[in-house]
Amino acid sequence: MTTHRLLTGKVVIATHNQGKLREMRDLLAPYGIELVSAGELGLPEPVEDGYMFSENAAIKAIAATKASGLPALSDDSGVCIDALDGAPGLFSANWAGPGKDFAPAIARVQMELAKRGAHAPEQRKAHFVSALVIAWPDGHQELFEGRVYGTITERIRGAGGFGYDPIFLPDGHDKTFGEMTAEEKHGIPADGSPGLSHRARAFHALAAACLRKPG
Ligand code: IMP
């Protein structure tokens, strides 16, 4: 168990992705921590040249803690599609291009799956991964990971969430992440069990190790 906890004070959320920022703010809301994003602090986006989600998450958290002198929390995440040998995976953000427009990224996923003749749901299995890293200014780091398994739909369904949400149908559910409310996608159940999304699941482990609810 970690000796480092996030109990009070300011924490940097080391992301420039507005969708992630919104979800991380929701997930941290019950803990009474003051949050500031890397964007609000004007911190540059570091080059993410790791070979694993956890490495890229560490690169972002360490850069933000060094630049700000505050503990920093980052998420590196992506969708891994079995029929595409795990692509887009680490490159999930890159498939959207510099404009960060997910319509072409989703179109590319559909085209790559069609090229392989993957039309049936069992040929379109995928999972999301979230690696969360907290880095403290004294050099200490903690890593937590979460995954959610599902299927890539043939049609875009729903306008909620961000990124690949409108084409990801989590196993055991009949709504895509794009059709779900924020609470359904990443809310933390009252019974203390992990939530649904990859980020909610990674966050559940982080909360158990490093967070305490005030009062
Ligand atoms: P990065 O971790 O900032 O390199 O980018 C992660 C990319 O993965 C995002 O830009 C999205 O394309 C995708 N992604 C990660 N988490 C989610 C999610 O919860 N929903 C939809 N897309 C996601």
Side-chain angles (χ1 to χ4, degrees):
M1 170 154 306
T2 180
T3 51
H4 283 58
R5 296 215 163 84
L6 295 176
L7 297 178
T8 53
K10 249 190 207 177
V11 174
V12 182
I13 305 195
T15 185
H16 291 74
N17 176 320
Q18 294 306 311
K20 274 191 200 176
L21 183 61
R22 228 178 10 251
E23 292 196 2
M24 291 168 83
R25 283 191 186 281
D26 285 351
L27 286 160
L28 284 163
Y31 297 97
I33 300 165
E34 194 183 336
L35 304 173
V36 57
S37 74
E40 284 158 359
L41 290 177
L43 305 182
E45 288 188 70
V47 176
E48 297 176 32
D49 54 4
Y51 291 97
M52 289 163 50
F53 291 109
S54 55
E55 288 177 306
N56 282 342
I59 287 169
K60 291 186 272 195
I62 291 166
T65 197
K66 281 191 176 153
S68 65
L70 296 167
L73 173 63
S74 72
D75 160 285
D76 200 68
S77 46
V79 64
C80 305
I81 302 173
D82 295 3
L84 306 185
D85 300 320
L90 276 185
F91 304 101
S92 295
N94 304 33
W95 278 30
K100 304 192 178 175
D101 178 357
F102 277 89
I106 287 176
R108 181 166 169 195
V109 164
Q110 301 295 17
M111 187 195 67
E112 299 285 349
L113 284 169
K115 264 203 290 196
R116 288 161 179 80
H119 296 287
E122 59 277 12
Q123 297 171 303
R124 300 169 69 90
K125 292 287 170 202
H127 62 277
F128 270 115
V129 180
S130 163
L132 291 178
V133 168
I134 307 188
W136 279 266
D138 67 1
H140 187 79
Q141 289 175 44
E142 297 281 341
L143 164 70
F144 306 93
E145 283 193 335
R147 287 174 181 229
V148 58
Y149 289 83
T151 301
I152 301 295
T153 56
E154 283 207 282
R155 279 189 309 107
I156 288 181
R157 288 173 41 186
F162 68 99
Y164 300 89
D165 280 346
I167 53 166
F168 185 80
L169 182 68
D171 287 346
H173 293 260
D174 56 12
K175 287 187 201 170
T176 65
F177 274 170
E179 293 171 310
M180 290 185 179
T181 62
E183 187 60 28
E184 287 169 327
K185 180 186 170 193
H186 61 262
I188 302 291
D191 66 2
S193 58
L196 176 60
S197 81
H198 48 311
R199 193 162 296 105
R201 290 175 185 195
F203 198 86
H204 186 256
L206 177 155
C210 300
L211 299 171
R212 291 288 172 273
K213 285 196 179 145

